[in-house]
Amino acid sequence: MRELFFKLFEMSHFNTGISVTAFSIPHFVYMVLIFGGIIWTWFAYKNKGTEAKEKVLRFLAYALALSYLGDFFVHEFVYGGLNTDKLPFHICTVLCPLVAISQFNHKGDKIKEPVAVLAVLAPMMYLCYPASIGSGEPWCYQAVQTMFYHGVLMAWGILNLAFGVVKPDMKHIWKSAILLVGITLWAKLGNILMEHNWFFLEEDAFYIGLVANGIIPKWVLMIANPIIFFLAVLAVYGVCYAVRGKGAKQAVS
């Protein structure tokens, strides 16, 4: 049975040499499937009632948690042991419990706006440049689970905004700033305790050696990373305001 599971979860089943690298054909196929699925869901449910939309969001939150937690049970067969990179210290992985809290806890509404906005941005950045997906074939477990997790996370964030469940308000943007500071400090704690590179605070996200080559001191990443994300948050707010403004003009005309 153990050997069967190693076979099921191996990186290559057909020795094709194909893998999901940035801007490769498999990468673009995954992007089409993920964004296409989100767009289809929006069109299918945009005119339905609040209850139907809420069921979609709850389903996505359940799928996200199941994908994340279930993954740890097969690390032995995929990675030969615990993959510490999957622990909840990266922004994408820490969003899993935060999504669950904001979706299923009645007090979670207080954090739903910043969580939803970051759930759009963080996985979108990863999906646009999947640098750590591994060398397995596009249909192997590692590739499918990684892309599925990030795709579901982004879908939950986008559909919260598209369905109007979350309506970004500039008066609340400080919540995103506080959440980003909290995630930065949480990731730094993980890096100190386990000597890892969560939230890319030890080396740049593209691993081009900005710290290792002495181009920038490491402490700069503690400031630059949350600021870059916050600027992206501002962009999301700007897009949401522009879309709402356009919708209001069309309604008047």
Side-chain angles (χ1 to χ4, degrees):
M1 180 65 76
R2 181 175 171 82
E3 288 72 20
L4 174 61
F5 270 67
F6 274 113
K7 185 68 176 177
L8 289 174
F9 292 100
E10 65 184 0
M11 299 296 184
S12 175
H13 295 285
F14 305 107
N15 297 318
T16 61
I18 303 172
S19 61
V20 184
T21 55
F23 313 119
S24 63
I25 292 177
H27 177 207
F28 287 122
V29 170
Y30 266 115
M31 293 281 280
V32 169
L33 291 174
I34 292 169
F35 283 100
I38 294 172
I39 294 170
W40 179 87
T41 304
W42 181 73
F43 273 108
Y45 285 87
K46 67 175 182 176
N47 295 322
K48 294 192 176 183
T50 302
E51 185 177 351
K53 294 175 181 176
E54 186 66 18
K55 285 182 178 179
V56 171
L57 296 174
R58 290 177 69 87
F59 173 80
L60 290 172
Y62 278 125
L64 185 72
L66 182 62
S67 174
Y68 182 65
L69 296 176
D71 184 50
F72 285 96
F73 288 91
V74 298
H75 277 201
E76 172 68 17
F77 309 108
V78 182
Y79 309 105
L82 176 67
N83 182 356
T84 56
D85 197 52
K86 297 285 188 97
L87 292 175
F89 291 98
H90 269 312
I91 188 168
C92 285
T93 50
V94 78
L95 280 173
C96 181
L98 292 177
V99 165
I101 292 170
S102 62
Q103 181 66 54
F104 300 117
N105 191 303
H106 68 281
K107 295 182 179 179
D109 287 339
K110 296 179 180 179
I111 63 169
K112 199 164 192 176
E113 184 174 328
V115 170
V117 172
L118 290 182
V120 174
L121 290 172
M124 185 180 294
M125 290 179 180
Y126 178 85
L127 289 169
C128 289
Y129 191 80
S132 60
I133 196 170
S135 58
E137 293 174 328
W139 43 82
C140 77
Y141 170 82
Q142 182 192 22
V144 172
Q145 191 277 333
T146 302
M147 300 302 275
F148 176 83
Y149 175 85
H150 287 86
V152 170
L153 177 59
M154 186 174 67
W156 183 88
I158 289 177
L159 291 175
N160 260 291
L161 302 181
F163 287 159
V165 176
V166 172
K167 297 179 180 178
D169 186 338
M170 287 297 293
K171 295 178 182 178
H172 302 154
I173 200 168
W174 60 270
K175 293 183 179 181
S176 294
I178 290 178
L179 182 57
L180 283 169
V181 170
I183 291 173
T184 302
L185 296 175
W186 174 243
K188 188 62 178 180
L189 175 63
N191 291 340
I192 292 172
L193 295 177
M194 301 186 185
E195 298 183 344
H196 203 68
N197 186 32
W198 283 299
F199 200 27
F200 306 108
L201 299 178
E202 308 299 310
E203 186 54 90
D204 64 275
F206 298 103
Y207 289 98
I208 57 178
L210 294 181
V211 173
N213 295 325
I215 299 174
I216 61 171
K218 187 165 62 176
W219 61 263
V220 170
L221 296 175
M222 282 280 292
I223 300 173
N225 288 2
I227 287 178
I228 289 171
F229 263 94
F230 186 71
L231 292 175
V233 167
L234 282 171
V236 171
Y237 273 72
V239 170
C240 290
Y241 269 78
V243 171
R244 290 209 297 265
K246 184 177 180 180
K249 288 182 179 179
Q250 289 178 343
V252 171
S253 59

